[in-house]
Amino acid sequence: MRPFTYTTAKDLPSATKLLTGNLNAKFLAGGTNLLDLMKEDVERPNELIDITRLGLSEIKPITAGANTGGASIGGLGKNTDAANHPLIRQNYPLLTQAILAGASGQIRNMATNGGNLLQRTRCPYFYDVSMPCNKREPGTGCGALEGINRMHAIFGWSDKCVAVYPSDMAVALAALDAVVKVRNASGQERVILFADFHRLPGDTPEKDTNLNHGELITAVELPRNNFADKSYYLKVRDRASYAFALVSVAAALETSGTKIVQARIAMGGVAHKPWRALKAEQMLIGKEATEANFKLAADAEMADAKPLAHNKFKVELGNRSIVRALQMAMNGGKA
Ligand SMILES: Cc1cc2nc3c(=O)[nH]c(=O)nc-3n(C[C@H](O)[C@H](O)[C@H](O)COP(=O)(O)OP(=O)(O)OC[C@H]3O[C@@H](n4cnc5c(N)ncnc54)[C@H](O)[C@@H]3O)c2cc1C
Ligand code: SF4
C-alpha cells in the first residue's frame, strides 16, 4: 500500500470541503471495498477522509415531498441495519432480501449503504494491475474483451469495457425506483434518480457513476409502492454463499385479482449498472400473471442480449431467472 494521510471528518461540511480540495482524496466509509482496492494498488488515494462519524445513518418514514409515505435510508448507515429495519422489512422486503444475499454477515456489519452503491467492479482484469484495463487506466485497453469473460456483461457494454457492476442492494433499489440524495461542499443538495446514478461504459468506463468529486451520498429514498406482498430477489451464483451474482433478478408485481397492474424487474450481473428490464415490464402490464406471460416477457427482454465469447449461458440463465423470480414474487416469495 502507498502512503496516505488520514483525517476524521467532524461534520458534513468539512468532509465535503476536504474532499473537494483534493482530487486524489477519497471518503472512507466501511472500507470493505476501498481498502481492498488500495491493497491491490488499484486505488491510490493520497488522503482518506473518514466519514464514519457523521451520523447520517437514520432510517425513517418520509413525511413530506415527492416521496411522502416512503422511506429514507441514511447513506452512512450499515447494510445490516438497513436490511433488518422493521420499516424496510415490512414495506420493502425486496431490498432486505437483496442486501442479505450479498457478502457475509461480518462484511454487512461494516459496509455502508452509500459505499455499497459505489463499490467497484469485480472484473479480475481490473484487479490485476499487470493487465490492461480502461477502467483502471484509461487508454490501456480491455483485458476481458478478448480474454476470459464468463462473468461479464451481456447488455450495454462497449468495446472499451465489458465489466458488470456487482452490488445486489443496487439491483433492488433500481427496481424500487429509488433516488440518491447527495450534498456538495457548497451545501447544495442534489437528487439523482437511480436509473441515472450508475453509467454504462461507453468511451469513459473509468466513470462508474454520475456523482461529482466532492459529493457525498447522504441518503437513499424509496417511494411508496404496493409491491411488498409480491416481490422477490433471485441471485444465481457459482457458490451458495459469499459469491457475486452471475445473474440476479429483482422482481416486484402489483396485481388486481390475477391481472398485473404494475411490474418492476431489474437485473444484476448482466451490465455495467443495474439493468432495468423495461421491455419485459411493459409487456406484463395488464396481462394475466401466468408462467406463459412471464416467459414471453423474459424472451422479449433477453432477445436484445449481446453475449461475449464465454458468457452465452447468461442469456438462457437470465431468461429463466426472470420467469422464476416473477413466479416467486407471485407466491409472496415462497417456493
Ligand atoms: C469478500 C467480499 C464479498 C462481497 N460480496 C458482495 C456481494 O455478494 N454483493 C454485494 O452487493 N456486495 C458484496 N461485497 C461488497 C460490499 O458490499 C461492499 O464492499 C460494501 O458495501 C462497500 O461499502 P463500504 O462502506 O465498506 O465502502 P468503502 O469501501 O468505504 O467505500 C467504497 C467507495 O465509496 C465511497 N464512499 C463511501 N461512502 C460514501 C458516501 N456516503 N458518499 C460518497 N462516497 C462514498 C468511498 O470513497 C469509496 O470510493 C463484498 C465485499 C467483500 C469484501
Ligand atoms: S471489462 Fe472493464 S474493468 Fe474489466 S478489463 Fe475491461 S475495461 Fe477493465
Side-chain angles (χ1 to χ4, degrees):
M1 223 192 271
R2 294 164 195 264
F4 57 89
T5 57
Y6 170 88
T7 315
T8 305
K10 290 186 196 60
D11 51 31
L12 184 53
S14 63
T16 46
K17 254 185 207 125
L18 281 166
L19 197 79
T20 306
N22 178 0
L23 278 177
N24 291 323
K26 285 259 170 191
F27 287 138
L28 176 69
T32 61
N33 189 220
L34 182 57
L35 292 188
D36 274 359
L37 290 167
M38 288 170 69
K39 286 182 208 158
E40 300 292 340
D41 207 23
V42 175
E43 298 265 20
R44 300 169 179 178
N46 62 11
E47 184 178 9
L48 287 188
I49 297 148
D50 186 333
I51 53 175
T52 52
R53 298 188 196 168
L54 301 186
L56 297 173
S57 59
E58 206 183 351
I59 297 172
K60 56 187 178 194
I62 301 172
T63 53
N67 292 326
T68 298
S72 170
I73 302 170
L76 297 179
K78 303 291 188 189
N79 279 178
T80 297
D81 297 330
N84 293 326
H85 194 281
L87 186 60
I88 304 303
R89 279 195 174 272
Q90 200 176 320
N91 296 351
Y92 306 96
L94 181 66
L95 181 58
T96 294
Q97 283 178 5
I99 296 174
L100 296 181
S104 64
Q106 290 91 334
I107 291 171
R108 294 193 297 266
N109 287 343
M110 278 302 286
T112 61
N113 303 320
N116 187 294
L117 304 190
L118 294 173
Q119 63 177 290
R120 307 210 69 193
T121 183
R122 256 56 194 188
C123 171
Y125 298 90
F126 173 72
Y127 267 79
D128 182 347
V129 290
S130 69
M131 297 301 292
C133 173
N134 289 323
K135 187 179 275 299
R136 178 172 23 80
E137 215 177 323
T140 54
C142 170
L145 190 61
E146 302 294 332
I148 307 292
N149 45 39
R150 175 177 177 270
M151 297 293 290
H152 292 71
I154 55 171
F155 289 114
W157 51 269
S158 73
D159 61 357
K160 299 285 188 299
C161 179
V162 294
V164 293
Y165 169 69
S167 163
D168 290 298
M169 179 181 189
V171 179
L173 292 175
L176 295 169
D177 266 344
V179 297
V180 184
K181 290 179 83 174
V182 306
R183 191 175 295 207
N184 70 12
S186 314
Q188 287 161 332
E189 197 165 78
R190 193 159 74 95
V191 174
I192 310 173
L193 298 179
F194 210 77
D196 301 330
F197 187 74
H198 296 97
R199 296 163 56 103
L200 290 178
D203 287 335
T204 51
E206 69 277 13
K207 288 188 188 157
D208 294 339
T209 69
N210 287 316
L211 201 66
N212 297 320
H213 184 76
E215 285 181 321
L216 186 142
I217 298 175
T218 53
V220 176
E221 285 194 356
L222 293 163
R224 203 174 122 167
N225 66 48
N226 295 319
F227 296 129
D229 293 340
K230 293 190 174 67
S231 65
Y232 191 71
Y233 187 71
L234 176 74
K235 179 173 179 180
V236 184
R237 45 190 153 178
D238 282 328
R239 287 191 314 268
S241 73
Y242 215 41
F244 289 92
L246 283 170
V247 167
S248 69
V249 177
L253 293 169
E254 182 188 336
T255 54
S256 171
T258 51
K259 268 214 171 111
I260 298 168
V261 178
Q262 270 205 78
R264 299 275 179 76
I265 305 167
M267 301 181 79
V270 295
H272 204 250
K273 60 187 278 187
W275 188 257
R276 263 297 279 277
L278 295 171
K279 243 187 196 174
E281 288 179 9
Q282 212 51 48
M283 281 191 65
L284 288 171
I285 294 170
K287 302 273 165 49
E288 292 290 319
T290 61
E291 184 176 344
N293 284 333
F294 295 161
K295 180 84 177 76
L296 285 174
D299 287 345
E301 189 65 39
M302 300 312 291
D304 293 338
K306 291 192 173 52
L308 302 159
H310 303 118
N311 67 6
K312 290 190 179 62
F313 73 97
K314 280 195 180 184
V315 181
E316 182 62 22
L317 187 61
N319 193 313
R320 291 178 188 224
S321 298
I322 291 175
V323 175
R324 180 76 178 145
L326 287 166
Q327 285 175 318
M328 293 294 286
M330 271 310 286
N331 293 340
K334 292 179 199 77

